[in-house]
Amino acid sequence: MLAEDIGQGDVTTAAIIPQDATVLAAVIAKDAGIVAGIEEAQILAESLGLKVRSTVTDGERIKNNQVLMQITGDAQTILTVERTMINLLSRMSGIATTTYKMMELLRKAKSKAKIAATRKSVPGMLYFDKKAVMLGGGDEHRLHLDDMVLIKDNHIAIVGSARDAVELAKEKVSFTKKIEVEITRPSDVVKVAEAGADIIMLDNFSPEEVDDAVKQLKDAGLHKNILLEISGGIDSDTLLDYALAKVNIISMGELTHSVKSLDISLEIIRN
Amino acid sequence: MLAEDIGQGDVTTAAIIPQDATVLAAVIAKDAGIVAGIEEAQILAESLGLKVRSTVTDGERIKNNQVLMQITGDAQTILTVERTMINLLSRMSGIATTTYKMMELLRKAKSKAKIAATRKSVPGMLYFDKKAVMLGGGDEHRLHLDDMVLIKDNHIAIVGSARDAVELAKEKVSFTKKIEVEITRPSDVVKVAEAGADIIMLDNFSPEEVDDAVKQLKDAGLHKNILLEISGGIDSDTLLDYALAKVNIISMGELTHSVKSLDISLEIIRN
Amino acid sequence: MLAEDIGQGDVTTAAIIPQDATVLAAVIAKDAGIVAGIEEAQILAESLGLKVRSTVTDGERIKNNQVLMQITGDAQTILTVERTMINLLSRMSGIATTTYKMMELLRKAKSKAKIAATRKSVPGMLYFDKKAVMLGGGDEHRLHLDDMVLIKDNHIAIVGSARDAVELAKEKVSFTKKIEVEITRPSDVVKVAEAGADIIMLDNFSPEEVDDAVKQLKDAGLHKNILLEISGGIDSDTLLDYALAKVNIISMGELTHSVKSLDISLEIIRN
Amino acid sequence: MLAEDIGQGDVTTAAIIPQDATVLAAVIAKDAGIVAGIEEAQILAESLGLKVRSTVTDGERIKNNQVLMQITGDAQTILTVERTMINLLSRMSGIATTTYKMMELLRKAKSKAKIAATRKSVPGMLYFDKKAVMLGGGDEHRLHLDDMVLIKDNHIAIVGSARDAVELAKEKVSFTKKIEVEITRPSDVVKVAEAGADIIMLDNFSPEEVDDAVKQLKDAGLHKNILLEISGGIDSDTLLDYALAKVNIISMGELTHSVKSLDISLEIIRN
Amino acid sequence: MLAEDIGQGDVTTAAIIPQDATVLAAVIAKDAGIVAGIEEAQILAESLGLKVRSTVTDGERIKNNQVLMQITGDAQTILTVERTMINLLSRMSGIATTTYKMMELLRKAKSKAKIAATRKSVPGMLYFDKKAVMLGGGDEHRLHLDDMVLIKDNHIAIVGSARDAVELAKEKVSFTKKIEVEITRPSDVVKVAEAGADIIMLDNFSPEEVDDAVKQLKDAGLHKNILLEISGGIDSDTLLDYALAKVNIISMGELTHSVKSLDISLEIIRN
Amino acid sequence: MLAEDIGQGDVTTAAIIPQDATVLAAVIAKDAGIVAGIEEAQILAESLGLKVRSTVTDGERIKNNQVLMQITGDAQTILTVERTMINLLSRMSGIATTTYKMMELLRKAKSKAKIAATRKSVPGMLYFDKKAVMLGGGDEHRLHLDDMVLIKDNHIAIVGSARDAVELAKEKVSFTKKIEVEITRPSDVVKVAEAGADIIMLDNFSPEEVDDAVKQLKDAGLHKNILLEISGGIDSDTLLDYALAKVNIISMGELTHSVKSLDISLEIIRN
């Protein structure tokens, strides 16, 4: 990360900051929310020989103007690493904060569902984005394409039917992996459950269609051993419409593909 | 990028998609805007042996439901690369679209200023984010910390004064680099211009303060050879307040730190 | 791989083989078994510009003296890549052959259990070793430490009890992962099943203890939704003692930690 | 090595082991033999911040149940690194033990020959395998293809004759490298010695053919300045048939291509 | 760097130097000049666990037989790193020394021009070579092709005219970069200055042509805001012919493409 | 190499050269000598999609103004790769030319000795520098520290005596490596030959001392099986003083540590 940001060195800092200057800097929140990325920022700073005292823990609620970290050490190093560290903290905290707000909405609506991340993220940031979702109280879902089997519409378009796809996966994939399948109409839900899916994703279902799918599973006696996930265009506005359905997971792409950063900055406190 | 996303291979695709299946897929916009990332997406797909026909060019305006690329080739490969390619396209197009809208606002206000990116981006995406800003009609500003000298508040806090910092840089840095300095009050503008700054960044200035700084420079006969940049909390709401000031560049962090992705998807058209 | 083998270049080949010599070489089995690694060998050879015609498919039974691949191209390249390619083929085919023999023993004993690999492999070869097990008809089990939750004796030694460990994992880990727990005495089997384990590994159980565990699970009505794996010192001699127990997976470390290579060689057929 | 094994992190350990738990673990032999890999295991563990006290030295004889290392430190780290460390130790100790047994056979037969490794190893493990052979009392032979000139049957098949190949190498290769040539019949031995070979490898010779070759060299007055190596299908059963021949090196592929691991395990001693 | 030099380890040192031997070594100049590379050598040695006391500072004048560094630590490590460290020091000091001599010539001739490096360097050494020029009192010029715009003869051959090239660059490149253009005849100097060049390189101009170009610029009132650089076949013999022209920069390829190393060696002082 | 030179892209070329322009360029010698690096330059250019026709072969004599390569292809690519390619060609050809001149001096003096390179090179260039020496008719000597055993003064300073060092190496190092030892006085030559050295380096010997050492070896009947190398401050001026001594190798550091580049340039011939 640093390599990308720095190029052959920070020409400004090298030219005007004395080589042996030591300073105290503070990382300060400029907005309220849930903090995330403290662990990563601390590792980054310490790996460059800086001394760090974090005054908050990842996942904690923070207030505007709250000091998050105090960093002491070589002035050139602090100024060079500043932007990368703040960019990471701001993004991760932004994601954690939004996730937390969604979970709050669910809690108030007495829903037991969990918000989950998707893989609609930024190339290179998947690990950090998923961790931020978790710190905000959500579920990170799969991280890599080899974490579990997840059969989507494009797979089914090629294989023929959702049921065939599940059966094929059941036969070919190690017993250590769960199998999830995305369906687009309620009438498929019983078929794929019988074929052996562990998790069923209801893609772009209306709240009524979700209720219909749950009912069908219950009638077939298959509801207990299967997790239901809903997905597709759910955002803060529509979340509550789905909150009372008996689903286990609600996954939201906008958590990670359209992040609103939390405003955080680094300030030199004392030379 | 792919490595991060895939892990040890896409277990779903490997299990259920036949090894020799060839398909035609289309990349389709689900919203209107300015497209960016087509060149990168094409390189990514072609490097994996897929055939790609791009039907738009980076920087072009696109409509909802417009086909952006047609991809033919191995089904397993297309499904495996899908998410990374779409994530990149969505982010870059989102950035280009927002930049374009800001430039439109300026054009309508008859401003000659240019929107510029900052380094408030996502670690690893700087190059792509900056290119997207450029495709939207903005200026990419410096890419690395060694592209130019940019003296910011934290540097000045250590060196003592903006003027001293500029003089130090002038003496120490190669003649091939420009020197920019960030000032926080109008009274510094003449001093740093005299010290040899090529560009002056007016940080968190009100529109009135910007006018004041321009006037002082003109009075000192220094306005011609210096570029003025304004920065700090400028967003689409406040942009027009600054549009008529005689500044050259308006830099906006939210272009890249709080991206709203453009909705784009990949669909299997035909086996 | 090649880099490690070659150093700064194959000094022998460079010195005595003419730069423009083209040869035909054959990869030939010197023993019977199940072949594995053909896909990898072909990719390796083709990546160096050689033309390859594979006459067998991974997972196929091969006979002594059977030709596996025909390679045409630059003589220097073929001689330089020879050792790496043959080492990979010999190891993978050795593993596939042993796995196949174990599966044959099970099939003859009418067992429905599946042989599985462990992570007792050679650093750097895990992916190839696991694939070879699969080509021999076995299950690759987890590839990485993040593929699933697998709670072993050393984890339990720290947490306190197997049951607590399962409950902790259930709470902390994404719904996308299965949870397996290793137990060392039959009396734990019902507890961990109730706590939510998806798979239970019976470590170093005698055949009688395995039967006991199965019976307890059945009595508690928990046998259906749980997979049972046995592990620990099972080799070809003791395999059949376990074959009739109602377990789903039999994992064997010696498949990959003590590989007997299949003898395969490359011969220059014609200049 | 660790990267391959771990993926994105050990999900089990992260979930159920407290972040600040410190434990004492012991690495214990479960079989007798010659230990190898202690230095590598210690470097691996210490690089992760663990404290290690090794109670044996590489190359030393060890007994069943002997403690080889004591490791203190962060429980999560120990559990995460366990498998890689044990895999390396088991393989290297297995190789050293087998090499030692072969050398013992030679010593008892009063042979002065030395057992040597070949390059029939596992991709990525060559350095470790060769070092283990050395620790067992053998010779590591060349490590890379640029360590010396070794002219094999496939080279000769292209060049025409062993003699021509040696002369070509003599002319083209730096004076700093030795030249070894593999011959397949006794009648070539004098020719290649005269051409300037430093070492002659007798490939797949019967014990009688070896004696014949030695006699021819002696008759030609060339025996003193040349090293003789025998190779090809020699294993523990046939080793003694060759032991009394006046050869200098006996190289054995099975030392490294069909390793029998030494059983070693890591146990948590105390929280 | 070390990796390239060492291969799989220093076989000599490993064989004959005891593992626990500690020695004191001195890095000693065998010639007088300007020292450069001390910082890099120290980082290299310290990264390997050696203790280093540097008795000179980069850029300082040194005498024959002067001790530059004292190194204490593991004998094997010192002997293994010796050659790489000395190669780097010798080259960088050679470059700094030559640059210094050129600057001395200019100072004596009362010229205010600065010697600058070109990119005619050795692949991989650009950063170190440029730093050495700076330590000798020169200007490092651009480091990468993205540091500034530098329009050369080959660019102009394609675009058509120097003026068009400058205008194109002005329009397309970020405001943060300077624009330099190389011209080959005095008659172009005013045109490119008017087109917006920040720096003009007079390539292979005679001293009289340089004077002519300066005069034209002055007549056009453009001399003040433009830097002039001369380049092309200038060496120590011809330098003074140019010294009195009113140019700002004199760039010399031979500083880095035909380096004369300064003789420096490492000696073991005490076991 | 390219990465270092280019940074994030050649900003000049990207801005002013049209994306689809195709040109013909020629690589032209601006001096006479022995060409080296053509193979590397061709690989570099072809790896970027350029078409290359080399009109000379590495090691060939070239004249001033001779065309070495013709390159056709994308103008942006040619301009971007130009500097790296020319830097490599100029350096390698400079080294080959100097080596050739030294070999010519020896040939004229009827010496059978061979000029050899040392490891006094530039970090990262060792392989290329050594190859250039070979193309000029010299011997590349060892490339890495693991190519052979080379016992130098600093090793002996620690071990105690040259003889002990040779004996230690003989015992510890694989039979595949040659052993060379550096001695500083004639009286050691017989001792180290008896101890088993394959090559003896006479360091900083006067021509008379060299003759003395040769005589002592002959008297002891050891001259035939041992190679003699002289080294230390030998340059073109002193070379002939040593030429008639019966040594096999004369190694010269200045071949690679103080290279005089051969002047070579790239010119755009036609759009």
Side-chain angles (χ1 to χ4, degrees), chain B residues 147-209:
Chain B
D147 278 1
M148 70 181 307
V149 175
L150 177 38
I151 301 165
K152 310 204 74 175
D153 52 350
N154 277 336
H155 294 104
I156 296 169
I158 296 171
V159 175
S161 81
R163 167 180 233 138
D164 290 350
V166 173
E167 279 167 357
L168 212 47
K170 198 84 186 169
E171 180 197 327
K172 292 275 195 66
V173 176
S174 170
F175 68 91
T176 57
K177 310 267 185 197
K178 287 195 175 177
I179 297 174
E180 175 165 10
V181 61
E182 176 184 307
I183 60 173
T184 50
R185 38 173 206 251
S187 55
D188 279 339
V189 75
V190 170
K191 287 181 216 160
V192 298
E194 286 172 348
D198 297 294
I199 312 167
I200 301 175
M201 183 191 290
L202 311 175
D203 188 45
N204 280 313
F205 275 43
S206 68
E208 295 71 34
E209 289 173 317

Side-chain angles (χ1 to χ4, degrees), chain A residues 1 3-13 15-18 21 23 75 79-80 82-84 87-88 91 119-127 142-151 154-155 157-159 165 168-169 172-173 177 257-261 266-268 271, chain B residues 1 3-13 15-18 21 23 75 79-80 82-84 87-88 91 119-127 142-151 154-155 157-159 165 168-169 172-173 177 257-261 266-268 271:
Chain A
M1 284 186 189
E4 178 222 35
D5 192 49
I6 294 174
Q8 279 287 353
D10 178 351
V11 71
T12 310
T13 298
I16 69 177
I17 304 298
V23 296
L79 293 174
T80 302
E82 169 186 355
R83 181 47 43 212
T84 301
N87 282 345
L88 190 64
R91 180 177 178 87
R119 291 194 309 111
K120 294 183 176 172
S121 174
V122 169
M125 292 304 288
L126 199 55
Y127 170 78
R142 68 176 172 165
L143 198 51
H144 298 304
L145 293 177
D146 64 354
D147 278 1
M148 71 180 307
V149 176
L150 176 39
I151 301 165
N154 277 337
H155 295 104
I158 296 171
V159 175
L168 211 47
K172 293 275 194 64
V173 176
K177 310 268 186 196
H257 75 55
S258 295
V259 173
K260 183 158 172 4
S261 285
L266 179 144
E267 289 169 24
I268 301 293
N271 288 17
Chain B
M1 285 187 188
E4 177 222 37
D5 191 49
I6 293 174
Q8 279 287 354
D10 178 351
V11 72
T12 309
T13 298
I16 70 177
I17 303 299
V23 297
L79 293 174
T80 302
E82 170 186 356
R83 181 48 41 211
T84 301
N87 282 345
L88 190 64
R91 179 176 178 90
R119 291 194 309 112
K120 294 184 176 173
S121 175
V122 169
M125 292 304 288
L126 200 56
Y127 171 78
R142 67 176 172 164
L143 199 50
H144 298 305
L145 293 177
D146 63 355
D147 278 1
M148 70 181 307
V149 175
L150 177 38
I151 301 165
N154 277 336
H155 294 104
I158 296 171
V159 175
L168 212 47
K172 292 275 195 66
V173 176
K177 310 267 185 197
H257 75 55
S258 294
V259 173
K260 182 160 171 6
S261 286
L266 179 145
E267 288 170 23
I268 300 293
N271 287 15

